[in-house]
Amino acid sequence: MEVWVAYSFLNKNNSERVEELFDQLPVSIKQSVERYQNPNDRLARKISKLLLETLIRKRNPYQSFFWDLYQKDDFSKPYIKGSTFDFSGSHSENLVISCLSPKGKCGIDTEFIQPLDIDIYNDFLHSEERKFIKSHQNPKAAFYEVWVKKEASLKASGFGISKELGEIDAHQEKVIIEGDIYFTKPLSLSPDYITYIASDFRMTNLHTEEIIF
């Protein structure tokens, strides 16, 4: 099955063009973004919405897309009412990314790679993940791998942060959540970031595109 991914680096975009496009969105969407105090956070969320709209319009150009159909379920997972599309988004530092699946679940996560103390995350890691990280020749890379795969899989599942992170083992390609299997794949977008996509089906065709507004 197919999944489409669109990503954008904040510093490559024309901020005036982003504002112009974002201003066309409904008031409720704009208000949900404008409440963020950090300018980079606001810009990332604006671009995230524009990436989602771009993906949906490109995949389904003959069907109208209305932002008033954008809703969130009880676990705060967004969806388009009446649509079979499943989608997810993430941003970290300068990178914003979104994924879209016409059928089936998908989730995506990205993290900017920086120094960190892995020990402070031990309570959020499965015992098998801790073993994997400890035995790895590059523990930091191993930590980022399991962490981003875990986040992407949780987004795909729809449970998000409602699940106990330490109960989920993401050190292998397949991640099991509530008995369901999520398949993960890495995306190489920049050496400064680690990015994974997860879905409840094997992704035979993964389409990736950089978009600049």
Side-chain angles (χ1 to χ4, degrees):
M1 293 178 66
E2 294 183 300
V3 179
W4 286 271
V5 174
Y7 65 97
S8 189
F9 291 96
L10 299 186
N11 61 352
K12 290 186 178 182
N13 288 275
N14 183 316
S15 58
E16 292 183 1
R17 178 59 176 161
V18 171
E19 293 297 334
E20 178 186 341
L21 293 170
F22 185 73
D23 195 50
Q24 299 173 24
L25 273 55
V27 172
S28 59
I29 299 292
K30 291 190 285 188
Q31 287 178 338
S32 70
V33 171
E34 294 296 350
R35 65 187 176 87
Y36 289 91
Q37 299 297 315
N38 185 291
N40 262 16
D41 282 347
R42 287 200 304 273
L43 178 58
R45 284 171 169 79
K46 289 174 183 179
I47 291 176
S48 179
K49 295 294 188 295
L50 298 179
L51 288 177
L52 172 61
E53 181 170 350
T54 300
L55 281 174
I56 293 179
R57 290 189 184 280
K58 282 190 172 186
R59 300 289 72 81
N60 205 356
Y62 303 109
Q63 181 176 327
S64 298
F65 173 70
F66 299 101
W67 273 106
D68 55 1
L69 298 177
Y70 179 90
Q71 299 182 16
K72 291 188 177 182
D73 64 18
D74 293 340
F75 293 102
S76 295
K77 180 176 173 64
Y79 66 97
I80 303 295
K81 186 177 180 180
S83 171
T84 61
F85 287 130
D86 194 66
F87 56 89
S88 175
S90 179
H91 81 272
S92 181
E93 296 293 329
N94 191 41
L95 176 61
V96 185
I97 190 165
S98 294
C99 67
L100 177 77
S101 169
K103 294 180 181 179
K105 299 177 181 179
C106 66
I108 202 160
D109 193 61
T110 189
E111 289 289 343
F112 178 69
I113 301 170
Q114 55 189 327
L116 79 166
D117 181 1
I118 298 173
D119 289 340
I120 67 174
Y121 293 91
N122 276 338
D123 290 343
F124 305 106
L125 295 172
H126 189 278
S127 59
E128 292 299 320
E129 292 175 332
R130 292 197 292 270
K131 291 178 187 175
F132 172 71
I133 293 168
K134 187 176 181 179
S135 64
H136 201 280
Q137 61 180 1
N138 186 339
K140 184 175 78 168
F143 168 80
Y144 273 111
E145 177 185 333
V146 300
W147 190 263
V148 173
K149 283 161 67 175
K150 189 193 299 265
E151 291 280 353
S153 299
L154 281 167
K155 289 179 182 180
S157 74
F159 288 111
I161 59 173
S162 67
K163 297 295 293 180
E164 289 290 336
L165 297 180
E167 296 177 358
I168 299 163
D169 178 13
H171 86 282
Q172 297 181 321
E173 178 209 359
K174 297 177 184 177
V175 179
I176 299 175
I177 302 175
E178 293 291 314
D180 294 324
I181 297 175
Y182 295 90
F183 302 92
T184 62
K185 273 191 176 183
L187 296 175
S188 299
L189 307 178
S190 164
D192 297 324
Y193 295 83
I194 182 165
T195 306
Y196 270 87
I197 186 168
S199 66
D200 62 349
F201 55 87
R202 286 201 177 276
M203 293 167 276
T204 53
N205 289 302
L206 186 57
H207 309 276
T208 305
E209 178 184 5
E210 181 178 9
I211 295 177
I212 300 173
F213 298 102

